[in-house]
Amino acid sequence: MVGFTSFALIGAAAIASAMPTGTTYTPPTGIISAGPNAATHRVIAGFNGLRFEPENIVAEVGDLVEVHFNPMNHSFAQSSFAEPCKPINDNAIFSGFMPTPNGENPNVFSIVVQDKQPLWFYCSQTKGDHCQTGMSMVVNQNFNGAATLSAYKAKAALTGTSISPPRVQGGVIAPPKNGPGL
Ligand SMILES: [Cu+2]
């Protein structure tokens, strides 16, 4: 089944104020928003080189995944397991590129987990082949199956290049509510 992205925007009102000027996205109806007891799973893109840290997250429905960006110029993009380093479809979650000369980018990209299906993410930066080098991660991997993060990375290394999703969507760009990731 190829359905709509498994993450969604936190809310239309939040989006309107948080998305960069000129970026519009209408969330589908029926999306799950972060609840008052939602956990926030912090991820650092570019921690100690070309990787996400942590890169294997177990999250509950309604939890937030909050991606912080370290140097250099990373992104957070959704793929399938079968085809690493390219968008899962035109609705693939995408943070856009987050250029960060030093320290941590003042904005994070936050998404709400919509279900318990595995979700695969990669950095679509082609300069330096980030995805091919191992900059990828998973939310809710099936630990009893063959679709592991190491298997994803092995396939990613064989792809020629990365493709970014068509537009920034599926999450909110805003300053982190609870400060930097480290
Ligand atoms: Cu990257």
Side-chain angles (χ1 to χ4, degrees):
M1 183 201 79
V2 177
F4 186 74
T5 176
S6 292
F7 286 120
L9 295 163
I10 290 170
I15 299 315
S17 61
M19 294 297 268
T21 303
T23 302
T24 58
Y25 176 69
T26 304
T29 57
I31 62 167
I32 296 169
S33 300
N37 300 316
T40 298
H41 304 269
R42 290 181 171 198
V43 173
I44 314 253
F47 181 81
N48 274 349
L50 301 182
R51 62 192 306 268
F52 293 103
E53 172 64 35
E55 59 185 15
N56 198 321
I57 290 175
V58 176
E60 298 301 324
V61 174
D63 282 359
L64 284 159
V65 176
E66 182 183 272
V67 185
H68 298 244
F69 294 89
N70 281 5
M72 304 164 277
N73 189 6
H74 303 292
S75 75
F76 182 75
Q78 183 189 15
S79 77
S80 63
F81 171 78
E83 295 189 274
C85 314
K86 61 178 287 190
I88 187 169
N89 55 38
D90 284 349
N91 294 319
I93 292 163
F94 187 44
S95 67
F97 286 97
M98 304 289 274
T100 309
N102 51 62
E104 180 177 313
N105 196 289
N107 287 323
V108 296
F109 183 71
S110 298
I111 55 181
V112 178
V113 175
Q114 297 294 299
D115 57 41
K116 293 290 284 184
Q117 296 302 307
L119 292 150
W120 301 92
F121 296 101
Y122 64 103
C123 174
S124 61
Q125 178 59 260
T126 56
K127 185 181 178 184
D129 297 334
H130 291 201
C131 182
Q132 291 73 25
T133 304
M135 193 165 182
S136 52
M137 62 171 289
V138 61
V139 177
N140 291 335
Q141 174 184 317
N142 178 0
F143 290 98
N144 296 317
T148 63
L149 182 58
S150 58
Y152 181 101
K153 290 190 179 196
K155 283 196 291 186
L158 302 176
T159 63
T161 189
S162 298
I163 300 169
S164 291
R167 65 194 78 86
V168 175
Q169 60 188 354
V172 172
I173 297 171
K177 292 187 183 71
N178 298 306
L182 291 178

